[in-house]
Amino acid sequence: MKKRYIFLLLIFCGIGFLLFFSLSGNTPFFKKPVGKPDLARTVPYAISKTDKQFLEEFNNYLSEQFTKTNTPGASVAIVKEGAIIYQKAFGFKTADGSDSINTKTLFRIASVSKGFSSILATLLVQDTLIDLDDPIANYLKYPLSGSANNITIRHILSHTAGFPYQAYSTLVEDELPRDTMISKLLKIPLSRLPGEIHSYQNVAYSIIEVVMESASGKPFSTLMHERIFDPLEMTHSTLSYDSMISSDNIALPHGYRHGQFVPTIVRPSYYNVASAGGLNTNIEDLAKWLTAVLGNNTRVIPPSVLDTVFTPVIPIRVKNPYFSQFEQPRNGYYGLGWRVMEYPNDTLLYHGGYANGYKSGIALDRNKNIGICVLTNAPSKFSNLVMINFFKMYKQYFSEPVANEEHLSSVR
């Protein structure tokens, strides 16, 4: 009997102990999580009636703009709160053909590849294999001199290393090997000290491949597959010319000749700077990527990685006329492989890409957990136009009490 009283006394003492600390806020058992909440959903997003109305009108707008811009072929996906709520292909693989694009058709995404590479590098930072403030000299076999020894990984990913604008991009077009281009680049004097200016690069950006290969002992392509493509089940995404041309479902690129888009061939250039512009994918895979960079797949891409790459590093001039006109005033920045547009009521993260007849784009609003990605096989206005007007129309539907019939009049 005495043992029973002692046992009950211990239980009551234990409960009192837990209640005391939970109310005082000092217990690890009930401590609130620090930082941003995990955005991953535990239940699927249910598409609302308003969503359906919005998507119907936006689909009509897409079809209209696709025709107006004379774009040969395109694919578009929209992700909201972890769900792919829209995914559609338009047009043909070649302007003079009848083979339709579908959602599995491959495109090149050009500089949209940079966002993949910066997130991959930041995943290696989390693994403590590299640090963003490490000098690149720690990982390179090429000799550096003077202020180039102060270039860090962060400088490379934010285009602030100090190299002249687009230095040696002509060598990319000439299809020189990556390491040959980097060795030439590192011999030229910097135009400014590292960190002082934003000067967009392709060859310099590819230095991140060498850094990651040196730190991990694995090829860049292997790292991308292991850490991003495979975990996200991006089964059609690759980083090589051979994988692109060997596919039987690709959209051929187009150039503009005599007032119309004319099909051309897939070229090997920009695969020699794969981290900057060499990724192939389709809209199904890109939608999975968009879902993850919106914060809905924290197992693969933790919120801390997204916070790092989306944090502004340096102010930039907003050259894109569509994004510059979204709202006023607006401030432009470059993070790590991503452009950051800060407006009075919204912050949009985006990147566009153009290479050898392909044009693409991705844009998202983390706060609203909404985003869009676009693939095209011609340098038309379609991708930039529909990305920014997507957010204009979305804002009208979900933030402003505007009659439905007024929506399109404001974005046409």
Side-chain angles (χ1 to χ4, degrees):
M1 194 71 176
K2 185 177 181 180
K3 289 182 180 180
R4 182 181 297 176
Y5 287 131
I6 294 173
F7 178 70
L8 291 173
L9 182 63
L10 288 172
I11 290 176
F12 286 123
C13 288
I15 292 172
F17 174 82
L18 290 175
L19 287 173
F20 170 78
F21 280 101
S22 65
L23 293 172
S24 67
N26 294 321
T27 174
F29 302 109
F30 301 100
K31 190 175 182 180
K32 294 182 179 180
V34 177
K36 293 187 177 182
D38 187 339
L39 296 178
R41 297 182 63 86
T42 55
V43 294
Y45 174 73
I47 298 178
S48 68
K49 181 179 179 181
T50 308
D51 285 324
K52 292 177 182 178
Q53 292 173 341
F54 165 70
L55 291 174
E56 181 179 355
E57 187 165 343
F58 188 68
N59 179 69
N60 294 336
Y61 171 74
L62 284 175
S63 300
E64 178 185 282
Q65 294 305 317
F66 182 76
T67 301
K68 279 187 176 181
T69 57
N70 294 315
T71 307
S75 293
V76 180
I78 298 168
V79 172
K80 182 175 182 178
E81 297 189 31
I84 300 169
I85 62 171
Y86 182 93
Q87 192 167 262
K88 187 174 179 180
F90 299 81
F92 302 99
K93 296 175 182 177
T94 64
D96 57 359
S98 58
D99 194 1
S100 297
I101 298 236
N102 58 53
T103 58
K104 287 183 166 49
T105 302
L106 288 176
F107 295 76
R108 297 184 66 176
I109 66 169
S111 286
V112 175
S113 306
K114 290 181 172 72
F116 282 80
S117 303
S118 64
I119 285 180
L120 177 60
T122 310
L123 288 172
L124 296 195
V125 170
Q126 291 227 323
D127 294 345
T128 68
L129 290 176
I130 60 175
D131 189 281
L132 290 174
D133 295 315
D134 285 344
I136 60 171
N138 294 358
Y139 302 93
L140 303 185
K141 60 183 179 182
Y142 321 102
L144 279 74
S145 60
S147 55
N149 283 288
N150 297 322
I151 298 172
T152 66
I153 295 172
R154 193 187 304 274
H155 291 141
I156 292 298
L157 294 174
S158 59
H159 305 285
T160 57
F163 293 109
Y165 176 74
Q166 286 286 31
Y168 283 139
S169 278
T170 52
L171 302 183
V172 178
E173 298 284 354
D174 292 339
E175 301 169 16
L176 266 67
R178 180 197 71 188
D179 290 1
T180 300
M181 292 187 292
I182 293 174
S183 65
K184 288 179 177 292
L185 177 71
L186 294 174
K187 292 174 184 176
I188 65 174
L190 298 183
S191 60
R192 297 285 286 274
L193 292 176
E196 285 190 346
I197 60 167
H198 177 264
S199 182
Y200 196 80
Q201 305 288 326
N202 281 309
V203 177
Y205 203 91
S206 72
I207 291 173
I208 195 60
E209 298 174 35
V210 183
V211 168
M212 289 193 279
E213 289 173 352
S214 175
S216 68
K218 296 179 179 180
F220 173 70
S221 179
T222 300
L223 287 170
M224 188 67 77
H225 277 273
E226 288 182 351
R227 301 303 301 272
I228 293 179
F229 292 166
D230 294 347
L232 293 179
E233 297 182 357
M234 298 176 65
T235 55
H236 296 91
S237 301
T238 62
L239 282 161
S240 73
Y241 170 73
D242 289 341
S243 63
M244 183 68 171
I245 62 171
S246 64
S247 172
D248 59 0
N249 188 8
I250 68 170
L252 285 178
H254 290 72
Y256 197 68
R257 305 284 187 276
H258 308 295
Q260 60 184 347
F261 290 116
V262 179
T264 183
I265 62 171
V266 180
R267 300 186 183 279
S269 58
Y270 287 93
Y271 290 108
N272 50 355
V273 286
S275 58
L279 203 150
N280 314 307
T281 194
N282 59 28
I283 203 64
E284 292 183 8
D285 277 9
L286 197 57
K288 295 173 183 177
W289 170 247
L290 178 55
T291 301
V293 296
L294 275 165
N296 301 291
N297 197 329
T298 57
R299 177 182 58 83
V300 181
I301 305 177
S304 57
V305 169
L306 298 175
D307 292 345
T308 298
V309 299
F310 294 147
T311 296
V313 173
I314 192 164
I316 60 173
R317 180 182 164 203
V318 182
K319 295 182 179 180
N320 187 309
Y322 301 99
F323 281 84
S324 66
Q325 295 169 14
F326 177 53
E327 286 181 4
Q328 296 290 343
R330 78 300 182 260
N331 295 304
Y333 303 91
Y334 204 90
L336 303 181
W338 292 84
R339 299 183 187 276
V340 183
M341 295 295 299
E342 292 185 352
Y343 304 100
N345 302 306
D346 303 275
T347 296
L348 300 183
L349 305 151
Y350 85 98
H351 215 290
Y354 171 72
N356 300 334
Y358 294 93
K359 194 171 183 181
S360 60
I362 185 170
L364 57 123
D365 185 329
R366 288 182 81 192
N367 291 329
K368 294 183 175 69
N369 204 345
I370 185 84
I372 183 171
C373 48
V374 185
L375 298 170
T376 71
N377 60 345
S380 75
K381 297 178 181 179
F382 183 76
S383 61
N384 280 330
L385 191 63
V386 302
M387 277 197 301
I388 198 61
N389 282 323
F390 164 76
F391 289 102
K392 286 183 179 180
M393 294 175 69
Y394 186 84
K395 188 172 184 179
Q396 289 173 335
Y397 260 91
F398 293 92
S399 301
E400 301 171 3
V402 181
N404 283 353
E405 61 269 17
E406 297 177 9
H407 289 173
L408 278 177
S409 62
S410 66
V411 296
R412 284 178 177 173

mmCIF file with all atom_site columns, all heavy atoms in Angstrom, residues 220-238:
data_model
loop_
_atom_site.group_PDB
_atom_site.id
_atom_site.type_symbol
_atom_site.label_atom_id
_atom_site.label_alt_id
_atom_site.label_comp_id
_atom_site.label_asym_id
_atom_site.label_entity_id
_atom_site.label_seq_id
_atom_site.pdbx_PDB_ins_code
_atom_site.Cartn_x
_atom_site.Cartn_y
_atom_site.Cartn_z
_atom_site.occupancy
_atom_site.B_iso_or_equiv
_atom_site.pdbx_formal_charge
_atom_site.auth_seq_id
_atom_site.auth_comp_id
_atom_site.auth_asym_id
_atom_site.auth_atom_id
_atom_site.pdbx_PDB_model_num
ATOM 1   N N   . PHE A 1 220 ? 29.933 17.168 -61.300 1.00 0.00 ? 220 PHE A N   1
ATOM 2   C CA  . PHE A 1 220 ? 28.806 18.082 -61.086 1.00 0.00 ? 220 PHE A CA  1
ATOM 3   C C   . PHE A 1 220 ? 27.484 17.430 -61.460 1.00 0.00 ? 220 PHE A C   1
ATOM 4   O O   . PHE A 1 220 ? 26.496 17.527 -60.723 1.00 0.00 ? 220 PHE A O   1
ATOM 5   C CB  . PHE A 1 220 ? 29.037 19.359 -61.900 1.00 0.00 ? 220 PHE A CB  1
ATOM 6   C CG  . PHE A 1 220 ? 27.866 20.297 -61.899 1.00 0.00 ? 220 PHE A CG  1
ATOM 7   C CD1 . PHE A 1 220 ? 27.499 20.988 -60.760 1.00 0.00 ? 220 PHE A CD1 1
ATOM 8   C CD2 . PHE A 1 220 ? 27.127 20.499 -63.066 1.00 0.00 ? 220 PHE A CD2 1
ATOM 9   C CE1 . PHE A 1 220 ? 26.412 21.854 -60.764 1.00 0.00 ? 220 PHE A CE1 1
ATOM 10  C CE2 . PHE A 1 220 ? 26.048 21.364 -63.080 1.00 0.00 ? 220 PHE A CE2 1
ATOM 11  C CZ  . PHE A 1 220 ? 25.694 22.047 -61.927 1.00 0.00 ? 220 PHE A CZ  1
ATOM 12  N N   . SER A 1 221 ? 27.438 16.749 -62.591 1.00 0.00 ? 221 SER A N   1
ATOM 13  C CA  . SER A 1 221 ? 26.201 16.109 -63.031 1.00 0.00 ? 221 SER A CA  1
ATOM 14  C C   . SER A 1 221 ? 25.734 15.058 -62.037 1.00 0.00 ? 221 SER A C   1
ATOM 15  O O   . SER A 1 221 ? 24.533 14.939 -61.750 1.00 0.00 ? 221 SER A O   1
ATOM 16  C CB  . SER A 1 221 ? 26.396 15.474 -64.419 1.00 0.00 ? 221 SER A CB  1
ATOM 17  O OG  . SER A 1 221 ? 25.221 14.829 -64.842 1.00 0.00 ? 221 SER A OG  1
ATOM 18  N N   . THR A 1 222 ? 26.670 14.286 -61.495 1.00 0.00 ? 222 THR A N   1
ATOM 19  C CA  . THR A 1 222 ? 26.317 13.264 -60.495 1.00 0.00 ? 222 THR A CA  1
ATOM 20  C C   . THR A 1 222 ? 25.706 13.901 -59.259 1.00 0.00 ? 222 THR A C   1
ATOM 21  O O   . THR A 1 222 ? 24.692 13.427 -58.715 1.00 0.00 ? 222 THR A O   1
ATOM 22  C CB  . THR A 1 222 ? 27.556 12.448 -60.112 1.00 0.00 ? 222 THR A CB  1
ATOM 23  O OG1 . THR A 1 222 ? 28.081 11.800 -61.277 1.00 0.00 ? 222 THR A OG1 1
ATOM 24  C CG2 . THR A 1 222 ? 27.226 11.401 -59.052 1.00 0.00 ? 222 THR A CG2 1
ATOM 25  N N   . LEU A 1 223 ? 26.300 14.997 -58.796 1.00 0.00 ? 223 LEU A N   1
ATOM 26  C CA  . LEU A 1 223 ? 25.774 15.702 -57.628 1.00 0.00 ? 223 LEU A CA  1
ATOM 27  C C   . LEU A 1 223 ? 24.359 16.198 -57.876 1.00 0.00 ? 223 LEU A C   1
ATOM 28  O O   . LEU A 1 223 ? 23.483 16.075 -57.010 1.00 0.00 ? 223 LEU A O   1
ATOM 29  C CB  . LEU A 1 223 ? 26.678 16.884 -57.275 1.00 0.00 ? 223 LEU A CB  1
ATOM 30  C CG  . LEU A 1 223 ? 28.031 16.558 -56.642 1.00 0.00 ? 223 LEU A CG  1
ATOM 31  C CD1 . LEU A 1 223 ? 28.907 17.805 -56.579 1.00 0.00 ? 223 LEU A CD1 1
ATOM 32  C CD2 . LEU A 1 223 ? 27.852 15.970 -55.247 1.00 0.00 ? 223 LEU A CD2 1
ATOM 33  N N   . MET A 1 224 ? 24.135 16.744 -59.067 1.00 0.00 ? 224 MET A N   1
ATOM 34  C CA  . MET A 1 224 ? 22.811 17.267 -59.379 1.00 0.00 ? 224 MET A CA  1
ATOM 35  C C   . MET A 1 224 ? 21.765 16.151 -59.379 1.00 0.00 ? 224 MET A C   1
ATOM 36  O O   . MET A 1 224 ? 20.652 16.319 -58.869 1.00 0.00 ? 224 MET A O   1
ATOM 37  C CB  . MET A 1 224 ? 22.840 17.974 -60.733 1.00 0.00 ? 224 MET A CB  1
ATOM 38  C CG  . MET A 1 224 ? 21.558 18.721 -61.076 1.00 0.00 ? 224 MET A CG  1
ATOM 39  S SD  . MET A 1 224 ? 21.237 20.156 -60.016 1.00 0.00 ? 224 MET A SD  1
ATOM 40  C CE  . MET A 1 224 ? 22.386 21.344 -60.728 1.00 0.00 ? 224 MET A CE  1
ATOM 41  N N   . HIS A 1 225 ? 22.130 15.015 -59.935 1.00 0.00 ? 225 HIS A N   1
ATOM 42  C CA  . HIS A 1 225 ? 21.196 13.891 -59.945 1.00 0.00 ? 225 HIS A CA  1
ATOM 43  C C   . HIS A 1 225 ? 20.959 13.361 -58.524 1.00 0.00 ? 225 HIS A C   1
ATOM 44  O O   . HIS A 1 225 ? 19.810 13.099 -58.149 1.00 0.00 ? 225 HIS A O   1
ATOM 45  C CB  . HIS A 1 225 ? 21.720 12.770 -60.844 1.00 0.00 ? 225 HIS A CB  1
ATOM 46  C CG  . HIS A 1 225 ? 21.419 12.978 -62.297 1.00 0.00 ? 225 HIS A CG  1
ATOM 47  N ND1 . HIS A 1 225 ? 20.235 12.561 -62.873 1.00 0.00 ? 225 HIS A ND1 1
ATOM 48  C CD2 . HIS A 1 225 ? 22.130 13.572 -63.290 1.00 0.00 ? 225 HIS A CD2 1
ATOM 49  C CE1 . HIS A 1 225 ? 20.233 12.878 -64.148 1.00 0.00 ? 225 HIS A CE1 1
ATOM 50  N NE2 . HIS A 1 225 ? 21.360 13.508 -64.431 1.00 0.00 ? 225 HIS A NE2 1
ATOM 51  N N   . GLU A 1 226 ? 22.006 13.210 -57.755 1.00 0.00 ? 226 GLU A N   1
ATOM 52  C CA  . GLU A 1 226 ? 21.879 12.627 -56.425 1.00 0.00 ? 226 GLU A CA  1
ATOM 53  C C   . GLU A 1 226 ? 21.114 13.518 -55.453 1.00 0.00 ? 226 GLU A C   1
ATOM 54  O O   . GLU A 1 226 ? 20.340 13.028 -54.631 1.00 0.00 ? 226 GLU A O   1
ATOM 55  C CB  . GLU A 1 226 ? 23.268 12.331 -55.850 1.00 0.00 ? 226 GLU A CB  1
ATOM 56  C CG  . GLU A 1 226 ? 23.969 11.161 -56.508 1.00 0.00 ? 226 GLU A CG  1
ATOM 57  C CD  . GLU A 1 226 ? 25.325 10.871 -55.890 1.00 0.00 ? 226 GLU A CD  1
ATOM 58  O OE1 . GLU A 1 226 ? 25.804 11.684 -55.056 1.00 0.00 ? 226 GLU A OE1 1
ATOM 59  O OE2 . GLU A 1 226 ? 25.926 9.832  -56.236 1.00 0.00 ? 226 GLU A OE2 1
ATOM 60  N N   . ARG A 1 227 ? 21.341 14.835 -55.527 1.00 0.00 ? 227 ARG A N   1
ATOM 61  C CA  . ARG A 1 227 ? 20.786 15.726 -54.522 1.00 0.00 ? 227 ARG A CA  1
ATOM 62  C C   . ARG A 1 227 ? 19.485 16.415 -54.942 1.00 0.00 ? 227 ARG A C   1
ATOM 63  O O   . ARG A 1 227 ? 18.719 16.846 -54.087 1.00 0.00 ? 227 ARG A O   1
ATOM 64  C CB  . ARG A 1 227 ? 21.828 16.795 -54.131 1.00 0.00 ? 227 ARG A CB  1
ATOM 65  C CG  . ARG A 1 227 ? 23.120 16.240 -53.574 1.00 0.00 ? 227 ARG A CG  1
ATOM 66  C CD  . ARG A 1 227 ? 22.884 15.345 -52.359 1.00 0.00 ? 227 ARG A CD  1
ATOM 67  N NE  . ARG A 1 227 ? 22.217 16.041 -51.285 1.00 0.00 ? 227 ARG A NE  1
ATOM 68  C CZ  . ARG A 1 227 ? 22.843 16.748 -50.335 1.00 0.00 ? 227 ARG A CZ  1
ATOM 69  N NH1 . ARG A 1 227 ? 24.165 16.842 -50.361 1.00 0.00 ? 227 ARG A NH1 1
ATOM 70  N NH2 . ARG A 1 227 ? 22.162 17.334 -49.377 1.00 0.00 ? 227 ARG A NH2 1
ATOM 71  N N   . ILE A 1 228 ? 19.252 16.513 -56.261 1.00 0.00 ? 228 ILE A N   1
ATOM 72  C CA  . ILE A 1 228 ? 18.064 17.245 -56.711 1.00 0.00 ? 228 ILE A CA  1
ATOM 73  C C   . ILE A 1 228 ? 17.185 16.423 -57.648 1.00 0.00 ? 228 ILE A C   1
ATOM 74  O O   . ILE A 1 228 ? 16.028 16.149 -57.345 1.00 0.00 ? 228 ILE A O   1
ATOM 75  C CB  . ILE A 1 228 ? 18.465 18.587 -57.361 1.00 0.00 ? 228 ILE A CB  1
ATOM 76  C CG1 . ILE A 1 228 ? 19.056 19.517 -56.289 1.00 0.00 ? 228 ILE A CG1 1
ATOM 77  C CG2 . ILE A 1 228 ? 17.257 19.243 -58.031 1.00 0.00 ? 228 ILE A CG2 1
ATOM 78  C CD1 . ILE A 1 228 ? 19.519 20.864 -56.790 1.00 0.00 ? 228 ILE A CD1 1
ATOM 79  N N   . PHE A 1 229 ? 17.706 16.009 -58.786 1.00 0.00 ? 229 PHE A N   1
ATOM 80  C CA  . PHE A 1 229 ? 16.865 15.311 -59.767 1.00 0.00 ? 229 PHE A CA  1
ATOM 81  C C   . PHE A 1 229 ? 16.239 14.046 -59.199 1.00 0.00 ? 229 PHE A C   1
ATOM 82  O O   . PHE A 1 229 ? 15.025 13.843 -59.301 1.00 0.00 ? 229 PHE A O   1
ATOM 83  C CB  . PHE A 1 229 ? 17.681 14.948 -61.009 1.00 0.00 ? 229 PHE A CB  1
ATOM 84  C CG  . PHE A 1 229 ? 18.133 16.118 -61.839 1.00 0.00 ? 229 PHE A CG  1
ATOM 85  C CD1 . PHE A 1 229 ? 19.106 15.952 -62.811 1.00 0.00 ? 229 PHE A CD1 1
ATOM 86  C CD2 . PHE A 1 229 ? 17.592 17.385 -61.665 1.00 0.00 ? 229 PHE A CD2 1
ATOM 87  C CE1 . PHE A 1 229 ? 19.536 17.015 -63.581 1.00 0.00 ? 229 PHE A CE1 1
ATOM 88  C CE2 . PHE A 1 229 ? 18.015 18.465 -62.440 1.00 0.00 ? 229 PHE A CE2 1
ATOM 89  C CZ  . PHE A 1 229 ? 18.995 18.270 -63.395 1.00 0.00 ? 229 PHE A CZ  1
ATOM 90  N N   . ASP A 1 230 ? 17.058 13.160 -58.625 1.00 0.00 ? 230 ASP A N   1
ATOM 91  C CA  . ASP A 1 230 ? 16.536 11.880 -58.139 1.00 0.00 ? 230 ASP A CA  1
ATOM 92  C C   . ASP A 1 230 ? 15.584 12.038 -56.949 1.00 0.00 ? 230 ASP A C   1
ATOM 93  O O   . ASP A 1 230 ? 14.481 11.461 -56.959 1.00 0.00 ? 230 ASP A O   1
ATOM 94  C CB  . ASP A 1 230 ? 17.688 10.932 -57.787 1.00 0.00 ? 230 ASP A CB  1
ATOM 95  C CG  . ASP A 1 230 ? 18.495 10.524 -59.010 1.00 0.00 ? 230 ASP A CG  1
ATOM 96  O OD1 . ASP A 1 230 ? 18.026 10.767 -60.137 1.00 0.00 ? 230 ASP A OD1 1
ATOM 97  O OD2 . ASP A 1 230 ? 19.602 9.974  -58.841 1.00 0.00 ? 230 ASP A OD2 1
ATOM 98  N N   . PRO A 1 231 ? 15.947 12.810 -55.907 1.00 0.00 ? 231 PRO A N   1
ATOM 99  C CA  . PRO A 1 231 ? 15.019 12.955 -54.776 1.00 0.00 ? 231 PRO A CA  1
ATOM 100 C C   . PRO A 1 231 ? 13.687 13.609 -55.154 1.00 0.00 ? 231 PRO A C   1
ATOM 101 O O   . PRO A 1 231 ? 12.651 13.296 -54.569 1.00 0.00 ? 231 PRO A O   1
ATOM 102 C CB  . PRO A 1 231 ? 15.794 13.836 -53.791 1.00 0.00 ? 231 PRO A CB  1
ATOM 103 C CG  . PRO A 1 231 ? 17.218 13.693 -54.164 1.00 0.00 ? 231 PRO A CG  1
ATOM 104 C CD  . PRO A 1 231 ? 17.239 13.466 -55.642 1.00 0.00 ? 231 PRO A CD  1
ATOM 105 N N   . LEU A 1 232 ? 13.721 14.524 -56.142 1.00 0.00 ? 232 LEU A N   1
ATOM 106 C CA  . LEU A 1 232 ? 12.487 15.183 -56.567 1.00 0.00 ? 232 LEU A CA  1
ATOM 107 C C   . LEU A 1 232 ? 11.763 14.416 -57.670 1.00 0.00 ? 232 LEU A C   1
ATOM 108 O O   . LEU A 1 232 ? 10.731 14.855 -58.164 1.00 0.00 ? 232 LEU A O   1
ATOM 109 C CB  . LEU A 1 232 ? 12.782 16.616 -57.049 1.00 0.00 ? 232 LEU A CB  1
ATOM 110 C CG  . LEU A 1 232 ? 13.257 17.604 -55.981 1.00 0.00 ? 232 LEU A CG  1
ATOM 111 C CD1 . LEU A 1 232 ? 13.541 18.971 -56.604 1.00 0.00 ? 232 LEU A CD1 1
ATOM 112 C CD2 . LEU A 1 232 ? 12.238 17.746 -54.854 1.00 0.00 ? 232 LEU A CD2 1
ATOM 113 N N   . GLU A 1 233 ? 12.325 13.270 -58.050 1.00 0.00 ? 233 GLU A N   1
ATOM 114 C CA  . GLU A 1 233 ? 11.760 12.421 -59.108 1.00 0.00 ? 233 GLU A CA  1
ATOM 115 C C   . GLU A 1 233 ? 11.639 13.185 -60.433 1.00 0.00 ? 233 GLU A C   1
ATOM 116 O O   . GLU A 1 233 ? 10.666 13.041 -61.167 1.00 0.00 ? 233 GLU A O   1
ATOM 117 C CB  . GLU A 1 233 ? 10.400 11.851 -58.667 1.00 0.00 ? 233 GLU A CB  1
ATOM 118 C CG  . GLU A 1 233 ? 10.522 10.951 -57.441 1.00 0.00 ? 233 GLU A CG  1
ATOM 119 C CD  . GLU A 1 233 ? 9.202  10.342 -57.017 1.00 0.00 ? 233 GLU A CD  1
ATOM 120 O OE1 . GLU A 1 233 ? 8.167  10.660 -57.637 1.00 0.00 ? 233 GLU A OE1 1
ATOM 121 O OE2 . GLU A 1 233 ? 9.198  9.537  -56.064 1.00 0.00 ? 233 GLU A OE2 1
ATOM 122 N N   . MET A 1 234 ? 12.663 13.981 -60.711 1.00 0.00 ? 234 MET A N   1
ATOM 123 C CA  . MET A 1 234 ? 12.752 14.677 -61.996 1.00 0.00 ? 234 MET A CA  1
ATOM 124 C C   . MET A 1 234 ? 13.426 13.729 -62.986 1.00 0.00 ? 234 MET A C   1
ATOM 125 O O   . MET A 1 234 ? 14.598 13.885 -63.345 1.00 0.00 ? 234 MET A O   1
ATOM 126 C CB  . MET A 1 234 ? 13.519 15.994 -61.831 1.00 0.00 ? 234 MET A CB  1
ATOM 127 C CG  . MET A 1 234 ? 12.847 16.970 -60.880 1.00 0.00 ? 234 MET A CG  1
ATOM 128 S SD  . MET A 1 234 ? 13.813 18.484 -60.580 1.00 0.00 ? 234 MET A SD  1
ATOM 129 C CE  . MET A 1 234 ? 13.819 19.229 -62.209 1.00 0.00 ? 234 MET A CE  1
ATOM 130 N N   . THR A 1 235 ? 12.690 12.749 -63.427 1.00 0.00 ? 235 THR A N   1
ATOM 131 C CA  . THR A 1 235 ? 13.260 11.612 -64.149 1.00 0.00 ? 235 THR A CA  1
ATOM 132 C C   . THR A 1 235 ? 13.663 11.927 -65.586 1.00 0.00 ? 235 THR A C   1
ATOM 133 O O   . THR A 1 235 ? 14.365 11.133 -66.215 1.00 0.00 ? 235 THR A O   1
ATOM 134 C CB  . THR A 1 235 ? 12.257 10.445 -64.161 1.00 0.00 ? 235 THR A CB  1
ATOM 135 O OG1 . THR A 1 235 ? 11.010 10.902 -64.700 1.00 0.00 ? 235 THR A OG1 1
ATOM 136 C CG2 . THR A 1 235 ? 12.020 9.921  -62.755 1.00 0.00 ? 235 THR A CG2 1
ATOM 137 N N   . HIS A 1 236 ? 13.232 13.063 -66.114 1.00 0.00 ? 236 HIS A N   1
ATOM 138 C CA  . HIS A 1 236 ? 13.556 13.406 -67.500 1.00 0.00 ? 236 HIS A CA  1
ATOM 139 C C   . HIS A 1 236 ? 14.616 14.505 -67.595 1.00 0.00 ? 236 HIS A C   1
ATOM 140 O O   . HIS A 1 236 ? 14.981 14.908 -68.697 1.00 0.00 ? 236 HIS A O   1
ATOM 141 C CB  . HIS A 1 236 ? 12.291 13.853 -68.248 1.00 0.00 ? 236 HIS A CB  1
ATOM 142 C CG  . HIS A 1 236 ? 11.259 12.778 -68.371 1.00 0.00 ? 236 HIS A CG  1
ATOM 143 N ND1 . HIS A 1 236 ? 10.259 12.608 -67.435 1.00 0.00 ? 236 HIS A ND1 1
ATOM 144 C CD2 . HIS A 1 236 ? 11.071 11.810 -69.304 1.00 0.00 ? 236 HIS A CD2 1
ATOM 145 C CE1 . HIS A 1 236 ? 9.497  11.590 -67.793 1.00 0.00 ? 236 HIS A CE1 1
ATOM 146 N NE2 . HIS A 1 236 ? 9.959  11.084 -68.914 1.00 0.00 ? 236 HIS A NE2 1
ATOM 147 N N   . SER A 1 237 ? 15.098 14.999 -66.466 1.00 0.00 ? 237 SER A N   1
ATOM 148 C CA  . SER A 1 237 ? 16.021 16.131 -66.457 1.00 0.00 ? 237 SER A CA  1
ATOM 149 C C   . SER A 1 237 ? 17.469 15.670 -66.561 1.00 0.00 ? 237 SER A C   1
ATOM 150 O O   . SER A 1 237 ? 17.874 14.707 -65.896 1.00 0.00 ? 237 SER A O   1
ATOM 151 C CB  . SER A 1 237 ? 15.829 16.956 -65.179 1.00 0.00 ? 237 SER A CB  1
ATOM 152 O OG  . SER A 1 237 ? 14.507 17.433 -65.104 1.00 0.00 ? 237 SER A OG  1
ATOM 153 N N   . THR A 1 238 ? 18.242 16.364 -67.396 1.00 0.00 ? 238 THR A N   1
ATOM 154 C CA  . THR A 1 238 ? 19.638 16.003 -67.629 1.00 0.00 ? 238 THR A CA  1
ATOM 155 C C   . THR A 1 238 ? 20.478 17.259 -67.801 1.00 0.00 ? 238 THR A C   1
ATOM 156 O O   . THR A 1 238 ? 19.959 18.381 -67.844 1.00 0.00 ? 238 THR A O   1
ATOM 157 C CB  . THR A 1 238 ? 19.793 15.122 -68.884 1.00 0.00 ? 238 THR A CB  1
ATOM 158 O OG1 . THR A 1 238 ? 19.348 15.873 -70.027 1.00 0.00 ? 238 THR A OG1 1
ATOM 159 C CG2 . THR A 1 238 ? 18.992 13.837 -68.772 1.00 0.00 ? 238 THR A CG2 1
#
